Structure formats: C-alpha cells, structure tokens
Amino acid sequence: MLVKTFTSYFMEHVKLHIPGPVEVSKKTFRAFCEPMIGHRGQGFKDLYAKVQPQLQALLYTKRLVYLGTSSAWGVMEGAVRNLVSKKVLCCMCGAFSDKWLDVSQRCGKQAEALQVDWGSPIRAEAIDAKLATGQFDALTFIHNETSTGVMSPLAEVAVLKRKYPDVMFIVDAVSSMTGVKLEFDALGIDVLLAGTQKAFALPPGLTVFACSDSALAKSATVSDRGYYFDLNEFEKNAEGNMTPSTPSIGHIHALASKLEDIFAEGLDARFERHASLAQLTRDWAVGHGFNLFPETGYESQTLTCVNNGAKPGGRVIDVAKLQKLVKDRGFLIDGGYGKIKGTTFRISSMGDETEATMRQLYAALDDAMKGL
Ligand SMILES: *Cc1c(COP(=O)(O)O)cnc(C)c1O
C-alpha cells in the first residue's frame, strides 16, 4: 500500500493559479491541524484575542473584526438580511456582483440593478444618480470583481456615504482583502467582508468581516435578520473573544499563522508585492499578443483576466487546450467564468506568490503556448 507523506503530497499536486481557492502553504495547513479546543474555553478566547488586533491593523479599523464560519456568500446574504428594509441597489459588473441581485430577491428584498458591461468598473457618478432618487437604504458593491478582473474605485464610491448617511454600504472585498490596502474606518462604509480562500491563501470556509456602528443600529431594527449571520450577535460575542456559534477552529489557527506571515512581511510590502505580480502577469499576456479584458486603468491587483475574443482585438487561442497543457506542467489556471468562459482566461497571482513562483508559472505557460 502506498502511504503518501505530507511533503510528497505537496510535491505532487497541481498548483493552483485559479482565482480561488488559491494555493495553501504547508505552514498554514500545519496550523490548521492544531489539536481541537472548545470554542467557549479560555484557549479559544486567547486565540481570538491574539488575532483581533492584527485583523484590526489589517483593515485599519478600531472596530471589532468578526469571524464567520461560511464562505463569503453566507455573510453577503446575511448583510442583505440585516441591513435592507426598503430597497437595495445592486452594483453589477460581473458574475459575482450580478448574482447579488438574485440573492437579494431570494431573501425577499426589493432590489434594483445598476448594471454596467462586464469589463467596466462601477463608477461613483452612476451610484450617486441612483441614490439621489431616495428609493434605496442599502447598496451592494464588489471591490474586485473576480470574474472580469476589474477593480472598481472603492474610495470614490465610499465618499458618497457622507452624502447618503442612511444608506448602508455593503462591500465585498473577497478577492482583494490582504492584497490591496482597505482602510475600513477611513472609508466610512458599513460592511466589509472577505472569504479566506482568495488573497488570504487559507482554505475555504471562513469569512472575515467588519461592520459600522450604524450597521449594528440598523440591523437591530430589522426583525427577520435571522440568527446565524445576525451582526449584533457577532458584535456581542466578539466583545468576549467568541463567535455566536461553533466556528471552524482549524481555520482560526490557520488565520493566526497567516497573520504572522502578513506582519512579518509588512502590510505595505504585501500590497506592493500584489501590485507588482499582477503587473508581471499583464506583461506576460501582452507579451504574447493578448489584450486584457478589463477597461484600462481598472485592472485587478490580485488576478489577471486575459481577453480571448470576448471583446475585439488581440490574440485568440484554444483556452481548454492551454489549460490542459499547463496542467500537464503542474499548474491550474482558470478558463474564464460565466458568460465569458473560453473567451477570457484568468491567472491568479494572489496570496503567497512571489516573483520567483510566478516566473515558474510563466515558464510553464510559455512552454504550453508552443504546443497550441
Ligand atoms: C469568490 C468570490 C465570491 C464567492 O465566495 P464564496 O466563497 O464562493 O462564497 C464572492 N465575491 C467575490 C468577489 C469572489 O471573488
């Protein structure tokens, strides 16, 4: 019988360069496997108390940062259930942001689309015009639309909060948190959330999020907000270094390990590393004759969405064949998402990647391109 060791498993597996889940390090997995502890005991409270100030530094906030056991959609849906009583404006520019309209409606909320073409960002002026109607008490906004590789101008949008203080600004930073600087308190938004399988480079199943005082106050007035994602339950429990229900404790050990890495590197260095690796990937694509899918100036800093016929211009290849050839060389890239599957492809450079590891991927891609 063949017994694989932890190390040989890591040497043999196909390395992930899809935009989530991303590659998880051995160090992180080892931390995940710490012996189990009770979630109401002092050991757990100490663990949460250790990560809390680091999470606050990461998000540039004095608010308590919450840990939810679910993938991001749990908290995305929860935010809508907690904070929408009139009507929610769903800012839509790709598969994830588009889906939030449907999710809001399935939660029984009145919802309206602010749709732009995939590849374009959401601009503050468009949101301003909608909010000026006075119909809305919340909006959903995705900072980094992972399906199109577009990063929308969050800071400009967040400025609108001052003009519309009663509107709840719910922001998904799933594929940008830890890769791009997000200053929660300075932005003045109401909810900021991310799942851990993207730029955190942890396994999927945990969501890190923060919310404003006014979000807590608003949530307290909404009677059908449920329990599992009740923001006030998260606040009350976080005050005692606990979570409302039994969390994925392994994830929190892994998070503690990852936060060690993040602060050893330094936040600014981490943000710069992400920016420069995304630039290297764009250079690789353009160097091979491709165009980029995002509108110029709005490219993601954590992943690259390469145009492959979704819009005019640039080279077009057989994406499925490229994926197979790259996989034979040990790497998994993404073949495009939703309605732009095959007419785009995506390469993730988020998490633990370095220039050296990205160069290994580009070498495999270069080699694979010769076989097309
Ligand atoms: C991955 C992703 C999601 C969905 O996250 P789940 O972990 O599948 O719930 C939502 N928004 C964005 C921007 C994402 O990249």
Side-chain angles (χ1 to χ4, degrees):
M1 199 173 50
L2 191 82
V3 178
K4 285 193 180 176
T5 65
F6 197 56
T7 301
S8 73
Y9 158 74
F10 263 90
M11 287 173 70
E12 286 163 27
H13 82 294
V14 176
K15 189 182 168 200
L16 299 184
H17 274 282
I18 54 173
V22 304
E23 193 67 9
V24 176
S25 73
K26 259 191 274 190
K27 174 178 182 276
T28 299
F29 270 126
R30 288 221 165 88
F32 200 100
C33 295
E34 287 282 318
M36 194 46 61
I37 53 176
H39 69 297
R40 298 295 180 222
Q42 195 56 44
F44 181 81
K45 291 179 191 170
D46 291 345
L47 176 63
Y48 199 160
K50 183 172 88 169
V51 299
Q52 182 62 260
Q54 293 173 311
L55 291 169
Q56 289 172 316
L58 175 68
L59 300 183
Y60 297 82
T61 184
K62 293 193 168 64
R63 314 265 329 147
L64 292 172
V65 179
Y66 311 145
L67 301 172
T69 294
S70 73
S71 76
W73 272 113
V75 176
M76 290 161 77
E77 176 170 323
V80 164
R81 294 187 62 194
N82 273 263
L83 300 177
V84 181
S85 42
K86 216 155 73 178
K87 191 174 182 185
V88 56
L89 178 68
C90 298
C91 303
M92 293 155 53
C93 61
F96 292 103
S97 48
D98 287 10
K99 187 170 162 179
W100 222 335
L101 178 74
D102 176 42
V103 169
S104 301
Q105 287 164 341
R106 290 191 201 197
C107 290
K109 303 297 183 183
Q110 291 247 45
E112 190 174 315
L114 167 54
Q115 180 84 63
V116 302
D117 289 341
W118 285 27
S120 296
I122 301 286
R123 291 185 167 81
E125 307 84 75
I127 296 178
D128 193 6
K130 285 283 189 185
L131 295 186
T133 64
Q135 290 178 46
F136 302 97
D137 64 345
L139 65 82
T140 63
F141 177 87
I142 292 191
H143 178 220
N144 194 61
E145 175 49 74
T146 315
S147 64
T148 61
V150 169
M151 209 159 78
S152 287
L154 173 58
E156 289 163 35
V157 169
V159 167
L160 292 171
K161 175 73 191 178
R162 285 179 224 148
K163 189 168 170 189
Y164 304 101
D166 296 337
V167 176
M168 294 288 122
F169 281 50
I170 306 168
V171 177
D172 162 333
V174 175
S175 58
S176 55
M177 190 185 286
T178 86
V180 179
K181 190 175 200 173
L182 294 164
E183 295 175 280
F184 183 72
D185 290 354
L187 285 166
I189 55 178
D190 296 291
V191 177
L192 181 67
L193 67 100
T196 53
Q197 79 274 28
K198 308 277 170 91
F200 275 98
L202 299 180
L206 188 75
T207 300
V208 174
F209 61 116
C211 79
S212 67
D213 245 338
S214 45
L216 291 179
K218 174 76 184 278
S219 158
T221 68
V222 177
S223 58
D224 57 353
R225 63 187 184 277
Y227 167 71
Y228 195 78
F229 293 110
D230 180 344
L231 297 177
N232 283 283
E233 288 290 344
F234 276 94
E235 174 70 13
K236 199 170 68 192
N237 279 277
E239 284 167 358
N241 291 310
M242 285 186 290
T243 52
S245 51
T246 319
S248 174
I249 296 167
H251 270 98
I252 303 172
H253 282 299
L255 175 64
S257 163
K258 179 53 63 188
L259 287 163
E260 260 170 40
D261 304 345
I262 289 176
F263 287 97
E265 180 180 17
L267 287 178
D268 288 335
R270 185 178 176 88
F271 303 145
E272 276 162 33
R273 172 167 61 81
H274 278 84
S276 79
L277 297 183
Q279 183 60 51
L280 279 182
T281 308
R282 293 195 289 272
D283 293 346
W284 177 86
V286 171
H288 281 273
F290 295 106
N291 285 353
L292 301 170
F293 186 66
E295 201 176 304
T296 307
Y298 297 96
E299 299 88 352
S300 166
Q301 305 281 289
T302 58
L303 73 126
T304 299
C305 185
V306 181
N307 180 47
N308 187 56
K311 64 178 199 186
R315 185 168 178 180
V316 177
I317 53 147
D318 179 344
V319 167
K321 191 163 177 202
L322 175 67
Q323 276 183 294
K324 183 185 178 305
L325 291 171
V326 177
K327 192 173 178 190
D328 292 345
R329 287 157 180 78
F331 300 94
L332 194 66
I333 61 165
D334 173 86
Y337 195 96
K339 68 183 182 191
I340 51 173
K341 184 175 163 68
T343 59
T344 57
F345 61 94
R346 299 178 301 164
I347 298 169
S348 165
S349 47
M350 66 183 113
D352 299 337
E353 301 306 331
T354 63
E355 184 167 339
T357 65
M358 290 306 294
R359 296 237 179 256
Q360 289 167 2
L361 173 69
Y362 306 140
L365 283 163
D366 288 343
D367 198 38
M369 291 288 286
K370 290 180 197 145
L372 289 177

